[in-house]
Structures are given as structure tokens and as C-alpha cells.
Amino acid sequence: MEPLNALVSVTNFMLIPAFAYGSQLALGALGITLIFSILRFAHFAHGDTMALGTAAVIGGTFFLQAQGIGIQPLPTALLALPFGILVMVGYLLAADRLVYRYYRKVKAKPMIFVMASLGVMFVTNGITRLFMGVSETRFEDGQRFIFTVREFRDFTGLAEGMALRSAQAITIITALVVMVILFWFLNRTRAGKSMRAYSDNEDLALLSGINPERVVVITWTITAILLVLAGTLYGLDKGFRPFNYFQLLLPMFAAAILGGLGSPLGAIVGAYVVAFAEMGITFAWRRVLTYLAPEGMEPSSMMQLLPVDYKFAVTFAILVIVLLFRPTGIFKGKVL
Amino acid sequence: MSAFLIGEAMTGGYGGADILHDCTIAVEKGEIAVIVGPNGAGKSTAMKAVFGMLRLREGRVRLAGEDITALSPQARVGKGMGFVPQTSNIFPSMSVEENLEMGAFIRKDDFRATMEQVYELFPILRDKRRQAAGELSGGQRQQVAVGRALMTQPSVLMLDEPTAGVSPIVMDELFDRIIEIARTGISILMVEQNARQALEIADKGYVLVQGANRYTDTGKALLADPDVRKSFLGG
Amino acid sequence: MSLTARDLGLFAIMGAVLAMVAMFQSPQLAVTILNMSLISAIMALGVNMQWGYAGLFNVGIMGFTAVGGLAVVLIAMPPVPEAWAAGGLGIILGLMLGVATILAAVLVYKRMTPGRLRGLAIFGVLVVGFMITSYVFGPAKQAVQAVDPAATGYLGGAGLPVVLAWPVGAVFAAGVAWLVGKVSLGLRSDYLAIATLGISEIVIAVLKHERWLARGVNNVTGIDRPVARPVELQPVPWVQSLADTLGWSVSQTATVVSGLGYSALFLIVLGILIWLAERALNSPWGRMMRAIRDNEVSARAMGKNVTRRHLMIFVLGSGVCGLAGAMMVSMDGQLTPGSYEPLRFTFLIWVMVIVGGSGNNWGSVLGAFVIWFLWVQVEPAGRWLMEMITSGMDVGSELRRHLLDSAAYMRLLTMGVALLLMLRFAPRGLIPER
């Protein structure tokens, strides 16, 4: 029995990656929830917009790298973030002007908005691939590890090693900081409160003199920031492939619905639930259990509940189970 | 007639057939005017027409002598009209204090004094100011709704059935508060189902039937009028 | 049949465009476009039943077509006796245990009173059932997959005629739809969207991963075809004489003849489906469905069991998608799970339905033709455009190479723009509902 080694192993292979992945999902799911509560539709272009935002950051990164500008030991991409955010704010606001605003004016049904977002999805998808192609692009630079497996082993003297990659650490820290700022914005500032008011009761918000178009602009701006951050952090962590971003749509939606659509706190909790469940169920527990089992009782199989290919099935199963018992999600959300 | 707020000879509806027919509603400064009548008489419609939520085919609305017929509801708020809708009149997930803040959204000056006045008027709201408005009881929610409308320091406060769905005790309490508000010089225009109690506190009463004025008099006179009693107040 | 002169005109224009492709590009290309358009038309028809008749938002079309495609493998491929001997029994037993586990969980859910205890009991049943199932299933699966993995490594099919796979594909897809619908319909409207999105990803994951079933990413190729292949047609005398008359090469003629054989089959299927769909739409049942779609609340108030009607139409529409999926696989003669992409198999079909005119069956068919034509033709057009743009550039230039490479993605852009323009300026589509 070596519980310490088991703990290190599970932290290294499951907890840290799941925490990082959950943070990336949370930023994305927050955007979905914000758009849902203000603009009142399911934003299907979310994953692809995220990809385009990341592509902009990658473009900026490559430019900076060519100029020899960097912020060692941190990845250059962080320096390119403002550029990516600027591009995405412009892009989303342009999409709103050209596409969604008209449907707001004619008070179209939510489904029409969803269809329109499918159109935006295709366009965004095409633009991203025009720039980036479909193959994987890696843009992580700077110091790769905060500490490596070897350093950890030498330091602790344990048999099992643990590494913390810079990308993971940056992801977790950034996500937490951004969440704190977002909650401060929503709960403490006039603009943030006006967003919540608009989400709560549109008519009364109008009556109180809140300008809906302004609320919409703020919402897209925040969404752009969240998207670019989520996409860049995901890309730093796992590499950039447009299709992977498209596939994030399912876990992000699952997280937002799971937490309760329209509830920012719910989106975050939902994201971590999805991430930990996905990782936990597709994780091979053999190594961990070997440390925990009494002598001679070590498991012989992989002790993996489901192959990694089925992580979507896990997401989906959790969603089904939670919504069967609590249809409004963990935190009371809205019904579409 | 040159009342402080007057909807004069209003005719119109929501696009289809007219609901209001040559209907006139007015309220004097610091007085309470009450619109009563049977179901479907166009009581709420008349109030919405005064607030600009419905296009008038004929007639005009004047506030302090100024013709505001063409203004949007939002612009009327800016002119000093406060409106409390009958339903969904609060921001349920926001705290009581935030509800009041949102009421003062268009104000650029310091509104803390006004908020203090609202808390003095409805002391329970001060105790619950950090609580989400949606978690409060029906009567308390109505207080939040009225408080929100008062945050713009309106000269006229319009209430659409403020006592719908609250208990008689809470209703009396709300009416007391409304009298108190009127004493500060704010005109009150209100639609009420509880006709008898409402007319008791009314300076002026309007009995509407099918979108037209049937009886118009002081609250006391209407209560005393045998016709009104028989037809609308249940004897 | 409610087609106006204008609608017929639109179809005639589409036909003329295809004829022009045959004349100026190549007849093979025209036939390929025609066949895929017909298949897409059937998919769009299925989606239109769900969306246009009942307002159900299905974003898992890909999953239903893939399930239909799986049926082709399971019906038409010869069985692999060695694999059956190695682990067939274990796999069947494992699957049955899996189903039994789920049934047991459902039973617990229905019999026990709601509460924490019930949750725990369900969880317990699932965990124990899962462990027993994987204990039986795992080794059997390994054994099957170890049988000559380069050529088979799966159980094979039933060795039946391939056309039989089409209705079976429809039934498979309908079965999956029934499960999805049972869980998600009647709860919340967004639930179906996320459920279908999820299930389609799961179906593809299963197809890719479960190699004992259909070889996974190793693909099943060489599936029997319902129509003679071009190679078999080449020596046939009448094909050779036809080639002489047309002045085409024999191989070209054989390809076109083979393709047209599929077209004929597909047209028959599409014709029957459209006839049925139109009959249904204009029957009291169809009017009721549309009444439910337009005002669910009042339909419910009138005592209609909306959820049941929705489930029925959802199963029917998904079955049609499965049929189309089976037809596509039998035309290609192979099942390649890796090629199923949601953009192509789910969202493109949606573009077809919207552009064609949701609620109108003929609109869906026309939409399928127009959009599939664009999908195929925009790529060469984009390449041509890029060549124009880059013609002044240095041949070895990096930018030029990049631009030429990315021409393929013009089609996504075009689809998006087409959808947005239609939605904005002609939201009722090319052939509106009437």
C-alpha cells in the first residue's frame, strides 16, 4: 500500500489535466450561457468562433516570433491575446450587425437565430480553414514545464513522478482570474448589472431605460474575450486543430445546460463536472489501484471503465442523468 | 380640464378592433385616481394607453400641460412617469437593492437619498436588501416593484393592479403606503380589481365599461352611488 | 402533388444545369452529382418531416445515416465463421447482459419511489451490470478482433442481398431514434438538440472503436453492390455499342451506365417516399402535426398527446435518414467511419432544408440538389479563383501554395453565405410551404 504514490499518480494523469480541461470548457460554456441569457438562443457557432479567435492569436504569435519579440519563459501567445481579442470582438460585432440584429428587430423565433448561427458557423469554419488549413498547428513556446517528472521525483523521493506543464498552470490560473473578474463585472458594475437585469426581465429593463443594443454589444465583447482565452488556452495545452474546436461544442453545451442555462456559476460547475467525469471514466486506473491494493491483489486489467473514444458518451450520459432528476440543471436555469 | 396628467378622449387598441372608445382618464397633482370596472372593461388598456404602450388612433396624453402623445414609454419615464406592471414587475434573480438601482438606471446623479426614502417607506426591504427579489413573498415583491418605479423620482406613479394575488392584510398595508406616497406630492393612477377598497382611498374614481367612461366622480361619491354599488361593487 | 409552374421551372433549371455539367465537364461528374443529390434529397426529406411537420430540431443526422450505413455491412457482408467461433457467443451474451443491465436500471427507476435511495440503487445496478458485462464482453471482443485482423477481425454480416439492407438501415436508425426520443422528447425543446448532437457523436465513436462490429477505422470495403460495377459492364456488348454511338470511351460509358443504374434505384425510392410524405402531409394526420407545430399549447389543451406524436415523427424522419445512409454506403461499396463529419452530414443537410423551404417536401428535394451541386462545384470554382488571384505570384511562393491549398474551404464559406442570405431574404425557401 503506497497511498502517497497513488495520489501523485492520479494527480499527474487525471486531476491536473481534468482541471485544465475543465477550465477551458468553463470559459467556453460561460460564453454560451451569456449569449443564451441575453440574446436568448443557442449559439451553435461557438466552437468555430473559438477556433477563429485562436487562429488570430496564432497569427499574432507567429508575427511576434518572427520579430523576435517574446516574454520568456511565458508563451508568446499570451502577448498576442489582445490582438486576437480585438479581431474577435470586431468579428462577432460584425456578425451581429450583419446577421442577428435583423432578427432581433423582427422579433424572430429563437430557432431562426439558431439557424442563423449555423450559417455563421459555416462561414467562420471556412475562414478559419482558409487561414489555418485542417492539420494541427502547435504554437506553444517558452518554458514547457513548471516542474518535470524527474525534478519532482528528485525533490520528493517518491517512485511515482508528477509534472506540471506551463500550459496547464497558465490555463488554470488565467481561468480562475477571468472568472473572478467576470463575476465582479456582473455583480458590481453598472454595465454588468444592466446585463443581468436584461436577462432577468427584458420588458422591465427597457422600461428602466436600459438600452438593449448596448447590452448586446457588451455581451458579444465579453463572449469574444472568453472565447479567445478559452481557445488559446486549449490550443496551448493540446495543439490547434479546427475540427477539435468544433467538437468542443458538445461538452460546452452540456456544461452550460448541466449547470443551468443562463447561470454563469452553473456553467463553471457544469464544465468541471463534465471534465472530471470525462477524464475519470476514461482513465486507466490500474496504476493508481496497484499502489492502493494490498500485496498480491494488484489488478491485472487496465481498470478503465470506458475507452477514451467514448468521452462524448460520458458527457452525454451525465447530461441525461442530471436532467432526468433536475430538469433545470444544477443551478436553476432557464428552459429554452 | 387641465389636470396634471390627462389621457383625453383616447380611442385605440392593439392593432385590431378598438378597445378604448373616447376614454378620458386624469389625475391631479398629489391625488389618487383609481380605474375600476368589470373584467375586460379595458382598465389596464386605458392605463397602458396613458403610458404609451399602445398606439392611439384618436385623443392625446398630456403631462403637466405638455403633449406627450408621440413619446415612447421609455421617454415618458424620462419625463417623470413611473409605471409598475401587473406581472413580472421585478428582476427576480437580482437582489432588492439591485432592483432599486436598476430603477434608477437613467439617473446620472446620486440616487442614494431616493433609495433611503424607499427604504423608509418600505422598511422590510431594507432588511431584505441583499436577498434575491424573486425569493420574497408576493406582498414584498410588490413593494420592490413600487420601490423600483419610485427610484426615478417620478411625478406620477402608475400601478396596474398592485394588490392582485396578495392577502387582504397585505393589501391594506400596500394601500396605506400608496396614500403615503401620494402625500409626498406624487400623483397616483392605479387600476384595481378590489374596487371598494380602492375607491375608499381614491380622490377620483373612473368606472370603465367596454372601454368607455361610465361613471366618473370622487371615490366617496362613487361608493355612495346606488347604481355603481349595485352594478360594480356587489350591492 | 402540389407543384406550381414556378416550382417545375426551378427543377427544370436544375436539370439543365446538370445537363450542362454533363456536356462541358464530364458525364461521369454529372451522374455522381445526381446520385449524391438524390441521396441528400432523401436525407433532407427525413429532416423536413421532423422540422417542417413537427418543428423538431435534429442535429444528429450524421448518426442516423451512419447507423443506416452499418446495416449494409451487417446485412450484405459474408459472415466470418472463424470470428463467430472465436467469440461470437461471448459478444451476443455480452450485448444481452448490457441490455439487461439497462432494463434493470429502468425497472428500478420505475418501481422505486424517488429519492436518494433510488439514485443509489440505479447507480449500483449500473455499476454491477457494467462489470459483469465487460467481464463477458471484453475477452470475446479481443478474440474476435484477433481473427485475421488485416482482412477481417470482425463478425461479418449475414450474407444477404444488399438491397435488403436499405429497409433494415431505416429500421436501425428508427430504433436509435426511438431510444433518443424516448429519453429526450417531452422534456425540454433544447434537450433534443443536445441529445441528437451527442448521440451522433457516440454512434460515430462506436463505429470507429468497436472493431468486432464493422472493423472500425480499418473500414469495410468491397461490399456487394446492387448495380453492376463499371468493370463488369465494360465487356457487355450493348455498352460497347452505346459507347460507339456516343463517341465515348468504353470505360467512361460503363461508369455512366452503372451510375445511372443507381440513379434509377434512388429515384424509385425517392419517388415512393415523396408520394407517401405528400399523402401524409395532406391527410388529417399531417394537418394535425402542423397544428401541433404551430401551437403546441393549444394542441395539448385539446387533448393531443404531443410527446407521442413527436416521438412518432422523430422515429419516422430518422428512419428515412437511415435509409439514405444505407443507400449511400451501398453505392460507395464501403463503410468508412472516419469520413463521417457533422458539417457534411448534419449541418449541410440543414442548409438544404432551409434553402429548399422547410415544411415543403419538394423544397427539400430541390434544396438538396442545389446545395449538393454548389458543394461539389464551389471547390473547382474556388481553385480557379485562387489560380486567378495567384497567377501573378512567384511559382514557388509560400503564399501562393497556401492560397491554392485552401481553395477547398471556399465551399464552407459559400454554404454559410447561401444559408444566411436565404434566411434573411427568402426565409421561406425556394419552394415555400403551402
Side-chain angles (χ1 to χ4, degrees):
Chain A
M1 289 267 280
E2 294 166 86
L4 214 54
N5 275 322
L7 182 69
V8 169
S9 175
V10 80
T11 309
N12 186 31
F13 292 108
M14 196 197 99
L15 296 181
I16 295 180
F19 201 27
Y21 176 50
S23 308
Q24 293 145 7
L25 280 186
L27 294 180
L30 275 172
I32 285 184
T33 255
L34 282 181
I35 294 178
F36 182 79
S37 43
I38 303 295
L39 293 134
R40 303 182 203 285
F41 71 95
H43 187 225
F44 269 79
H46 212 69
D48 282 303
T49 333
M50 203 181 219
L52 184 59
T54 314
V57 171
I58 293 176
T61 307
F62 288 168
F63 174 79
L64 288 173
Q65 282 171 345
Q67 306 296 309
I69 303 170
I71 39 168
Q72 289 291 346
L74 293 172
T76 315
L78 295 185
L79 207 58
L81 273 176
F83 170 70
I85 288 172
L86 221 60
V87 170
M88 258 0 254
V89 170
Y91 184 80
L92 287 177
L93 287 180
D96 187 71
R97 270 291 152 83
L98 292 172
V99 181
Y100 302 118
R101 191 165 71 166
Y102 167 78
Y103 300 106
R104 271 203 304 282
K105 220 173 70 193
V106 301
K107 296 203 188 315
K109 286 185 193 158
M111 240 32 222
I112 304 298
F113 281 93
V114 172
M115 295 295 159
S117 82
L118 289 187
V120 174
M121 179 184 90
F122 268 104
V123 171
T124 315
N125 201 299
I127 296 176
T128 311
R129 282 162 173 75
L130 276 179
F131 282 114
M132 305 294 297
V134 287
S135 52
E136 181 171 316
T137 312
R138 290 212 79 104
F139 59 103
E140 185 189 3
D141 59 0
Q143 190 187 322
R144 270 182 60 77
F145 288 95
I146 305 280
F147 56 82
T148 62
V149 171
R150 179 190 293 264
E151 282 165 357
F152 181 84
R153 271 206 210 113
D154 290 348
F155 182 74
T156 59
L158 287 169
E160 193 60 38
M162 178 162 87
L164 182 61
R165 295 205 357 252
S166 312
Q168 294 168 329
I170 292 170
T171 295
I172 294 168
I173 293 168
T174 314
L176 292 179
V177 169
V178 167
M179 288 171 202
V180 169
I181 295 177
L182 181 68
F183 277 96
W184 169 81
F185 175 80
L186 286 176
N187 291 318
R188 289 279 178 273
T189 66
R190 205 170 114 91
K193 284 178 193 174
S194 72
M195 275 174 71
R196 284 169 54 219
Y198 186 83
S199 150
D200 251 18
N201 190 338
E202 193 177 330
D203 294 330
L204 198 61
L206 285 175
L207 223 94
S208 305
I210 292 169
N211 178 0
E213 288 305 309
R214 214 179 111 80
V215 170
V216 166
V217 166
I218 298 173
T219 308
W220 283 119
T221 308
I222 296 176
T223 305
I225 296 171
L226 291 170
L227 275 175
V228 172
L229 281 173
T232 306
L233 295 174
Y234 185 83
L236 281 175
D237 192 7
K238 299 191 175 76
F240 175 84
R241 266 192 71 206
F243 186 65
N244 288 352
Y245 282 74
F246 171 82
Q247 284 199 313
L248 281 179
L249 202 59
L250 181 66
M252 286 191 300
F253 262 110
I257 292 181
L258 200 59
L261 261 177
S263 154
L265 190 60
I268 294 170
V269 173
Y272 285 113
V273 169
V274 166
F276 277 95
E278 259 187 30
M279 297 292 276
I281 291 180
T282 57
F283 179 64
W285 289 90
R286 178 186 191 170
R287 210 171 160 134
V288 178
L289 293 175
T290 308
Y291 283 122
L292 286 179
E295 205 83 20
M297 296 264 293
E298 287 89 354
S300 55
S301 73
M302 291 290 284
M303 297 306 288
Q304 185 182 22
L305 288 172
L306 276 177
V308 182
D309 309 57
Y310 289 141
K311 58 174 194 240
F312 289 123
V314 178
T315 309
F316 185 65
I318 302 167
L319 195 66
V320 169
I321 293 166
V322 169
L323 290 189
L324 272 180
F325 291 103
R326 208 180 158 85
T328 51
I330 301 170
F331 294 85
K332 274 210 176 101
K334 293 188 181 112
V335 174
L336 204 78
Chain B
M1 252 165 87
S2 61
F4 181 65
L5 169 69
I6 179 161
E8 214 173 356
M10 299 183 294
T11 302
Y14 300 100
D18 286 346
I19 298 172
L20 297 177
H21 306 280
D22 196 23
C23 174
T24 297
I25 305 287
V27 58
E28 297 292 341
K29 189 124 195 84
E31 288 195 350
I32 299 176
V34 174
I35 309 173
V36 296
N39 279 334
K43 302 187 295 285
S44 288
T45 312
M47 175 172 277
K48 282 177 182 159
V50 172
F51 192 56
M53 290 167 86
L54 146 93
R55 272 180 78 101
L56 289 179
R57 273 201 312 114
E58 276 164 45
R60 51 177 23 81
V61 182
R62 272 179 296 151
L63 178 71
E66 187 187 350
D67 189 329
I68 56 168
T69 317
L71 293 186
S72 69
Q74 285 86 343
R76 290 181 205 216
V77 173
K79 291 276 178 194
M81 293 172 78
F83 179 62
V84 181
Q86 184 184 347
T87 53
S88 41
N89 47 21
I90 54 163
F91 300 110
S93 81
M94 302 179 83
S95 71
V96 170
E97 188 151 307
E98 285 171 335
N99 265 275
L100 299 183
E101 272 177 55
M102 287 299 110
F105 194 80
I106 52 168
R107 285 180 61 176
K108 298 276 176 276
D109 55 337
D110 190 0
F111 53 77
R112 264 176 301 187
T114 317
M115 194 180 279
E116 199 50 42
Q117 284 167 8
V118 171
Y119 283 149
E120 262 157 41
L121 191 64
F122 303 116
I124 188 79
L125 297 189
R126 193 200 300 276
D127 302 338
K128 308 231 168 196
R129 66 179 188 276
R130 300 251 174 271
Q131 215 168 317
E135 295 167 3
L136 302 182
S137 72
Q140 290 166 350
R141 283 202 229 192
Q142 288 298 16
Q143 296 183 4
V144 174
V146 173
R148 187 205 63 83
L150 287 174
M151 286 303 290
T152 48
Q153 292 182 307
S155 50
V156 184
L157 183 63
M158 310 210 297
L159 305 154
D160 193 352
E161 301 201 14
T163 64
V166 302
S167 69
I169 300 167
V170 175
M171 181 176 76
D172 287 346
E173 160 101 23
L174 263 173
F175 280 156
D176 285 350
R177 295 287 164 271
I178 288 167
I179 295 170
E180 226 172 289
I181 295 168
R183 285 210 186 110
T184 63
I186 297 175
S187 312
I188 308 270
L189 178 62
M190 119 177 129
V191 170
E192 258 302 331
Q193 281 285 4
N194 300 309
R196 187 186 295 271
Q197 293 86 336
L199 287 175
E200 269 166 18
I201 66 162
D203 296 299
K204 191 88 170 250
Y206 294 87
V207 180
L208 296 195
V209 175
Q210 292 184 336
N213 297 85
R214 176 66 64 88
Y215 302 96
T216 306
D217 212 325
T218 61
K220 282 203 178 60
L222 285 175
L223 280 172
D225 186 325
D227 285 347
V228 174
R229 290 176 68 104
K230 210 171 92 193
S231 319
F232 305 107
L233 303 175
Chain C
M1 300 285 157
S2 52
L3 281 175
T4 64
R6 182 179 157 276
D7 306 341
L8 288 173
L10 287 173
F11 273 105
I13 293 171
M14 193 63 230
V17 168
L18 278 181
M20 272 160 68
V21 171
M23 266 156 52
F24 297 113
Q25 288 182 291
S26 79
Q28 293 102 305
L29 181 64
V31 172
T32 320
I33 295 180
L34 174 67
N35 284 345
M36 239 1 254
S37 296
L38 286 168
I39 289 177
S40 305
I42 294 175
M43 292 183 192
L45 213 55
V47 175
N48 184 45
M49 284 181 188
Q50 298 171 339
W51 170 245
Y53 292 16
L56 300 176
F57 188 47
N58 173 2
V59 270
I61 306 164
M62 171 180 78
F64 298 113
T65 51
V67 167
L70 174 65
V72 179
V73 171
L74 296 188
I75 291 294
M77 287 309 281
V80 183
E82 301 85 2
W84 276 100
L89 211 63
I91 281 191
I92 301 268
L93 191 64
L95 288 179
M96 276 159 57
L97 280 168
V99 172
T101 305
I102 290 167
L103 286 181
V106 171
L107 201 70
V108 170
Y109 178 78
K110 288 204 167 145
R111 287 289 165 84
M112 282 178 74
T113 46
R116 183 163 297 169
L117 199 64
R118 182 174 78 168
L120 281 176
I122 291 175
F123 186 72
V125 167
L126 287 177
V127 168
V128 172
F130 182 83
M131 280 158 92
I132 299 174
T133 305
S134 48
Y135 181 75
V136 175
F137 193 72
K141 177 174 137 182
Q142 297 298 339
V144 169
Q145 286 172 181
V147 176
D148 192 10
T152 55
Y154 76 124
L155 289 174
L160 296 168
V162 67
V163 179
L164 198 66
W166 295 4
V168 173
V171 171
F172 275 23
V176 173
W178 186 81
L179 282 175
V180 176
K182 201 75 189 153
V183 180
S184 55
L185 281 170
L187 274 176
R188 307 163 32 150
S189 57
D190 58 338
Y191 203 57
L192 185 70
I194 195 84
T196 46
L197 192 67
I199 208 77
S200 73
E201 292 291 345
I202 293 171
V203 166
I204 300 301
V206 168
L207 282 188
K208 278 184 184 167
H209 187 78
E210 300 299 322
R211 278 181 297 146
W212 59 270
L213 184 64
R215 304 198 68 221
V217 284
N218 297 336
N219 304 338
V220 176
T221 52
I223 304 172
D224 251 355
R225 291 161 196 249
V227 174
R229 288 159 48 184
V231 197
E232 298 156 11
L233 284 175
Q234 280 182 26
V236 178
W238 67 266
V239 173
Q240 288 180 343
S241 67
L242 185 67
D244 280 344
T245 338
L246 291 169
W248 295 350
S249 74
V250 175
S251 74
Q252 189 184 16
T253 316
T255 311
V256 171
V257 168
S258 171
L260 285 176
Y262 283 110
S263 312
L265 277 178
F266 295 167
L267 260 177
I268 293 171
V269 175
L270 180 63
I272 295 173
L273 282 175
I274 267 228
W275 183 71
L276 287 173
E278 284 286 293
R279 285 276 310 242
L281 187 63
N282 296 314
S283 69
W285 177 84
R287 280 193 291 277
M288 179 194 68
M289 288 313 300
R290 283 185 289 176
I292 292 177
R293 177 196 64 188
D294 293 338
N295 196 339
E296 207 170 294
V297 178
S298 72
R300 245 183 243 282
M302 278 159 62
K304 301 284 180 213
N305 188 340
V306 175
T307 310
R308 262 191 63 172
R309 315 278 170 191
H310 278 173
L311 182 62
M312 185 175 169
I313 197 106
F314 182 65
V315 167
L316 277 176
S318 303
V320 171
C321 290
L323 173 67
M327 286 161 59
M328 192 183 70
V329 167
S330 69
M331 180 174 76
D332 295 343
Q334 57 181 1
L335 178 68
T336 51
S339 68
Y340 284 88
E341 264 192 58
L343 272 180
R344 155 77 185 81
F345 282 94
T346 295
F347 296 107
L348 193 66
I349 309 297
W350 268 104
V351 179
M352 293 170 179
V353 174
I354 301 293
V355 168
S358 51
N360 189 311
N361 293 320
W362 292 103
S364 301
V365 175
L366 183 64
F369 272 83
V370 171
I371 292 302
W372 185 254
F373 175 81
L374 282 178
W375 182 256
V376 174
Q377 294 290 2
V378 162
E379 194 176 341
R383 177 148 298 128
W384 176 80
L385 185 76
M386 286 300 178
E387 265 162 18
M388 290 275 289
I389 293 172
T390 55
S391 59
M393 291 183 195
D394 184 19
V395 179
S397 127
E398 183 70 15
L399 181 64
R400 176 175 178 185
R401 199 184 52 74
H402 183 81
L403 283 175
L404 285 177
D405 281 350
S406 45
Y409 311 117
M410 289 296 285
R411 48 159 64 155
L412 295 165
L413 211 67
T414 316
M415 289 308 125
V417 172
L419 176 61
L420 288 174
L421 288 178
M422 280 307 283
L423 214 52
R424 174 77 163 75
F425 297 106
R428 285 159 58 74
L430 290 172
I431 306 183
E433 182 184 358
R434 53 179 78 88

